[in-house]
Amino acid sequence: MSKSSRLGLLHDRDFGRLFAATALGQLGDRIIFLALPLAAIAALHADAFQVGALTAVTTAGSLLVGLPAGAWVDRMRKRSVMVSTDLARALVLLTLPVAWWAGLLTIWWLYAVALVHGMLTVFFDVAYVSYLPHLVGRGNLVEGNSKLSAIRSAASISGPALAGPLVGLAGPPATLLMGSAGMAMSGLLALTIRKREQKPEQSETPQLGREIKEGLKFLVKHPILRATVLGDAIFNLFLVMYQTMLLVFLEREIGLRPSGIGLVLSGMGCGALLGALLATRASKWVGHGPVIWLAPLATCPLTVLMPFARSGWSVYVAALGLAALSLGGVVRVVSQSSVQQALTPDRLLARTSATARFVACGGIPLGGLLGGASGSVFGVTDTLWIGAAGMTLSVLPNFLSPLRTLRTLPTGKAPEFAR
């Protein structure tokens, strides 16, 4: 086997640069993911509801700009959007360590940065998903998504493993600074990608409302896209409820230090990495449609191990359930993203992606608030039980759709039936 065939898409210089930029950006993002709530919990002494509110604010960008983001990105070159939003996110995050060292950091400052960062992330993610078919071609979508998921998963391992000790040893300011640096380097590396898609044709009378409606109509009328988005919405709602109380559970109920929390979250990254490595084979063995509902059905129930955990070795056994959750989630997302991209015409990629994100992620802020409220009323442990049950039930929309028997990816030109 030749070196180029072993490397696959990594043999392509531009995809390799996107791969490396993804690694840096995701490393920074994973560091921020752990450092932000730990800063609120440990340094600002936030209670359970405030931690839930921080999660809600972090993800509120999908509700605020989710729909117009797709229409705007469809008018632009996607690579340019990725570069500009990466650099802007780095600058926004840089204000956190500066405010910390100046003695000005408050929970409200954290909320403001989390909100702006979340809105910029919406634009980045929409452009990122829409750019891949242009970069690698529709015939390489599964391989491209799988390789990018693998490096994102590797960052999920190294990010918390690095952030936990950093928070404990150097403090949150240095950790937040490193996260900002990762975002900046990601944007600068993406700037070196030479392949740029043609600038989209501009309508003589562009109408934002009409363009948003067109993307929404396409997604709603397509039975497969409709099912995947509904399943995502249910899963994300309960996942965020679970995750919001997970950090509180580990820090206050179990008594783990930041390094221990980072180790548990790194275990989730290991599961995600294994899922990314298995995703292509799993799609071929089981079928691109069935794997989308079978993978979470097999792994989500294992998250009930965490509420049983106590201080000591049992928490690390419970972490295996979180690793399984990540494994199943990545296998599902790789196949699901490839199906969504294959079914969507080029001119609607950003709008359909943004609309799917808006619907699927719309419940995330609610999940953060519900997680915080549930933790305050029912307790942290019971909230983990609720989250585990909800994530398992999220497979139903996909199971009841044509995905149940869809074995292979659609090929050829994507349909335009919803115009």
Side-chain angles (χ1 to χ4, degrees), residues 26 288 369:
Q26 282 298 301
H288 289 281
L369 292 174

Side-chain angles (χ1 to χ4, degrees), residues 12-15 17 77-80 131-137 190-198:
D12 180 83
R13 180 178 296 179
D14 282 338
F15 182 80
R17 291 175 178 177
R77 290 190 174 97
K78 279 62 176 180
R79 193 206 66 158
S80 300
Y131 183 59
L132 187 63
H134 293 286
L135 186 65
V136 304
L191 188 62
T192 67
I193 297 175
R194 294 177 298 182
K195 185 174 182 179
R196 299 169 65 188
E197 75 275 25
Q198 291 184 348

Side-chain angles (χ1 to χ4, degrees), residues 254-407:
I254 302 298
L256 285 185
R257 296 173 181 265
S259 57
I261 295 175
L263 185 60
V264 170
L265 297 185
S266 293
M268 295 180 69
C270 291
L273 178 58
L274 182 58
L277 296 175
L278 293 175
T280 301
R281 292 180 182 178
S283 296
K284 291 179 180 178
W285 291 338
V286 181
H288 289 281
V291 79
I292 291 175
W293 60 269
L294 276 172
L297 182 62
T299 56
C300 286
L302 297 176
T303 56
V304 300
L305 292 172
M306 186 56 72
F308 285 116
R310 298 295 180 267
S311 180
W313 60 268
S314 64
V315 71
Y316 296 106
V317 174
L320 294 175
L322 302 183
L325 174 70
S326 296
L327 187 155
V330 170
V331 169
R332 172 183 65 87
V333 167
V334 167
S335 185
Q336 182 171 298
S337 297
S338 302
V339 169
Q340 290 172 336
Q341 289 163 338
L343 290 173
T344 306
D346 286 347
R347 67 182 191 83
L348 288 174
L349 276 169
R351 273 172 283 175
T352 303
S353 172
T355 304
R357 182 187 176 93
F358 175 81
V359 178
C361 297
I364 291 181
L366 178 60
L369 292 174
L370 287 177
S374 177
S376 298
V377 176
F378 301 113
V380 173
T381 302
D382 286 345
T383 303
L384 295 181
W385 279 99
I386 295 170
M391 286 187 285
T392 303
L393 292 174
S394 70
V395 306
L396 287 176
N398 291 320
F399 175 75
L400 298 174
S401 78
L403 284 169
R404 190 170 61 254
T405 56
L406 180 70
R407 301 288 304 178

